[in-house]
Amino acid sequence: MPSRNPGMDLDLEWVSKVRVNTQAVLKRAQQVQGCKVAKKQWQAAWLLKAVTCIDLTTLSGDDTPSNVHRLCMKAIQPVRQDLLKSMDMHDKGIATAAVCVYPSRVADAVKSLKAANSSIPVASVATGFPAGQTPLKTRLEEVRMAVEDGATEIDIVINRTLALTGQWAALYDEVRQFREACGHAHMKTILAVGELGTFTNVYKASLVSMMAGSDFIKTSTGKESVNATYPVAIVMVRAIRDYYLRTGQKVGFKPAGGIRTAQEAVVWLALMKEELGNEWLSPHLFRLGASSLLGDIERQIYHYVTGRYAAYHELPMA
């Protein structure tokens, strides 16, 4: 990860002046969805880039040490070695950007990765994920415990009530406290955009979260009815761009929830390249939150190498 976003004092005047042109956002989103996707070796290259930006995730009620271990092994070797060798990419260190789990599974993930001599970071959701409706004291303690167990990235969720009721100063104070509780760990702030109501609220929540010191802003928990969509992403990355132009601080972006196909992954990368530039095409500033996406990417790479699609038993499960 690059240098942290130190944040800034809350600028309520800036927040109050925010207006989002909904029709312009929707028109731009249509352009993004309609863009032509690269083919053949260019598509394969984009897909390997996407693999390196994935936060490989398991957030299920039936998570156990064994399936967290399996997830970690898949993160270390996300694409079959023989496929990478055919592409002359076997020695390029292709691995996922991080492993993302619940706080109670952080120690399991750290143990598995350490035993495999891997430096892949462990990310943990926290702060009453996914609803964020537990007391502030509990949410702060959850962050501290995850960091103590070895998490180096924390995905916090904002209190949507504060955003919906326009209590931006209170939201800033909460996120600032989460940032302090993270200590050395990088903080990704989940806005849960499907529950914020309007694009203007999404932009304001993005702005306030960055002012409070978020290193990344993230669309969704993956548990809402609406998760990562292109219109919402455009609003959020434009907020990132404005914040960068105002402060000189680069903040990362993480779409999460509902991203399942290789083609979608390439479109997300293209969106980042067009809106924010090549610097945002690295795991330091862009992540894809996904659990099933990697399986489809590996199937597409298998097709590129062999000319046919793999049966499900031919590829190791994440």
Side-chain angles (χ1 to χ4, degrees):
M1 282 273 190
S3 58
R4 305 287 301 275
N5 167 31
M8 57 179 280
D9 291 338
L10 179 63
D11 186 344
L12 283 175
E13 185 181 356
W14 185 5
V15 175
S16 68
K17 288 179 178 177
V18 168
R19 300 291 183 273
V20 176
N21 184 331
T22 299
Q23 291 307 311
V25 168
L26 295 176
K27 185 176 180 181
R28 175 70 179 118
Q30 279 186 324
Q31 292 172 344
V32 169
Q33 278 182 286
C35 73
K36 291 183 179 179
V37 176
K39 300 294 183 185
K40 299 183 180 178
Q41 69 265 38
W42 295 280
Q43 184 186 43
W46 278 101
L47 291 179
L48 289 179
K49 167 61 75 174
V51 168
T52 66
C53 293
I54 290 176
D55 279 359
L56 196 58
T57 303
T58 181
L59 296 170
S60 301
D62 58 358
D63 283 343
T64 61
S66 60
N67 73 325
V68 169
H69 175 74
R70 185 179 71 188
L71 190 83
C72 292
M73 294 305 101
K74 185 65 175 176
I76 294 168
Q77 184 67 65
V79 179
R80 263 176 37 179
Q81 189 71 6
D82 59 318
L83 299 178
L84 291 176
K85 203 158 191 176
S86 298
M87 302 166 70
D88 196 27
M89 294 295 290
H90 59 287
D91 57 351
K92 300 296 191 291
I94 301 291
T96 67
V99 169
C100 184
V101 294
Y102 275 119
S104 57
R105 300 269 72 90
V106 167
D108 298 329
V110 170
K111 181 181 176 183
S112 293
L113 291 167
K114 191 174 182 181
N117 199 28
S118 171
S119 59
I120 293 173
V122 174
S124 172
V125 296
T127 67
F129 180 94
Q133 291 285 7
T134 52
L136 179 59
K137 186 178 178 181
T138 306
R139 286 180 279 154
L140 288 166
E141 189 59 29
E142 194 175 33
V143 173
R144 294 186 191 105
M145 289 174 70
V147 173
E148 283 173 15
D149 284 346
T152 54
E153 300 177 9
I154 303 293
D155 289 30
I156 67 156
V157 291
I158 67 166
N159 183 334
R160 274 78 95 191
T161 303
L162 299 178
L164 289 168
T165 55
Q167 299 180 65
W168 301 114
L171 178 61
Y172 175 89
D173 289 340
E174 279 201 0
V175 177
R176 199 77 188 162
Q177 288 182 65
F178 296 146
R179 163 70 194 262
E180 289 172 10
C182 284
H184 66 275
H186 281 71
M187 185 174 78
K188 307 190 201 95
T189 300
I190 307 170
L191 305 184
V193 293
E195 295 174 353
L196 291 184
T198 66
F199 288 147
T200 299
N201 276 346
V202 170
Y203 190 106
K204 288 181 177 181
S206 300
L207 209 50
V208 171
S209 298
M210 290 186 287
M211 288 175 181
S214 301
D215 299 298
F216 269 72
I217 52 174
K218 176 178 170 182
T219 59
S220 323
T221 64
K223 310 292 186 183
E224 297 94 49
S225 57
V226 177
N227 294 293
T229 65
Y230 300 123
V232 158
I234 288 160
V235 173
M236 291 176 70
V237 298
R238 296 281 173 92
I240 289 172
R241 185 200 296 173
D242 289 346
Y243 183 80
Y244 171 62
L245 292 173
R246 178 78 70 97
T247 67
Q249 297 296 329
K250 295 170 186 170
V251 175
F253 176 64
K254 179 178 174 180
I259 304 171
R260 296 186 177 89
T261 69
Q263 185 171 352
E264 286 177 284
V266 174
V267 173
W268 280 106
L269 284 167
L271 171 63
M272 298 308 293
K273 181 179 174 66
E274 291 180 8
E275 290 287 334
L276 292 173
N278 289 342
E279 276 191 273
W280 271 265
L281 290 178
S282 79
H284 297 311
L285 289 169
F286 179 65
R287 298 290 180 84
L288 287 159
S291 51
S292 58
L293 170 63
L294 181 56
D296 191 56
I297 289 178
E298 193 174 13
R299 286 186 76 235
Q300 297 301 328
I301 290 172
Y302 185 98
H303 180 269
Y304 167 71
V305 171
T306 67
R308 66 182 181 87
Y309 284 105
Y312 283 102
H313 68 269
E314 292 182 282
L315 298 174
M317 292 189 301

